[in-house]
Amino acid sequence: MRNLLDTPHDDFQAWLAERGLPGYRAKQVRRWIFEKRALSFDAMSDLPKKLRTELAEEFTIGSGSVAAHRLAADGTEKLLVQWHDGHKIECVLIRDHDRRTICISTQVGCAMGCVFCASGLDGVERNLTSGEIVEQMLRLQSILPPDERLTNVVVMGMGEPLANLANLLTALDTATSPEGLGLGARRITISTVGLPPAIDRLVERGNHYHLAVSLHAPDDELRTRLVPVNKNIGIEPILAAADRYFESSGRRLTFEYVLLGGLNDRPHHARRLVELLRGRLALLNVIPYNPVAGLPYETPKPADQERFLSILTTGGVNVQVRQRKGDKIDAACGQLRRSHLRLLPEPAPANSVASEELGSSGGV
Ligand code: SF4
């Protein structure tokens, strides 16, 4: 069986042509999948019965199953999706006023090794295919009632998106296509630790997605301790690549800074950040750390966080504290998957859905 979400458009057209079928059938199938949220060919009622049968014999719509589905009182929902090979990833739907934002993964695990992150603890297993990336969007969209649509995508889940750039770009082509999810490029954010050659490929492609660069430290010594891949890159080349992206796209840059209690939240860190970001049209997202079981890092003390933010704003940095959503559902990257690796040594049965309604509010 072939995953239709991983089948190039031309291949599917050729498959139809081999059966003497008109090309518009492909458009109909896409409409059923992306607009009408069909999960089976049988639901595609305006296709001939024979074609529906042939499609079901040859193709699947997606290749995963939901191994866990968690809901938080603030409306955040997280899916743990299990692929055909047993690997699992996470993706999240975040409700915020009229926004319906999804956070999706690009790899099983992650090779970047950020010391505070649950996703990177076991390294990277493999890249997700473009179809697996699209499937996360469809599964999260299917949670919404029919009159609600996805509004924003952030590529900030498990994995380093720019380490799987080709598959990601193919998936985002589907997300932005009028025959796909029809999202504007400006509603899509790619978050990266900063891989300059891949950022330059984004410049060449000219899609003008929003770029968010995770800094987490204002100098190379500390950044290499927190984000080991920095050792071979360095902050300056990353900032230079981000500047090139800004010049070509005109899109304001975002820098992410996970604030770790006692580690990167000192006044001298804030002052150095002011120097680094001076003169750049950028937003600094400060994200108070969400503790991960088994890791020794702490949420910053409120007074330290306040002092850190005050130095930044006084220094002219455009800064915001990012709200955390769904803390009680292991919302930090990789936590749900790790809790299942510990709790569910046997893979959950295909198509099983374990839903957990959580009593207390998770949003901060
Ligand atoms: S924070 Fe992101 S880049 Fe770093 S290890 Fe986790 S998933 Fe990878």
Side-chain angles (χ1 to χ4, degrees), residues 42-65:
D42 209 36
M44 302 180 181
S45 53
D46 57 358
L47 295 184
K49 179 85 181 114
K50 181 168 176 287
L51 173 57
R52 280 185 266 161
T53 306
E54 284 179 347
L55 283 166
E57 282 168 2
E58 186 101 9
F59 296 100
T60 58
I61 304 171
S63 65
S65 59

Side-chain angles (χ1 to χ4, degrees), residues 110 112-114 117 119-120 157 159 193 333:
C110 184
M112 301 298 113
C114 303
C117 169
S119 288
V193 296
C333 172

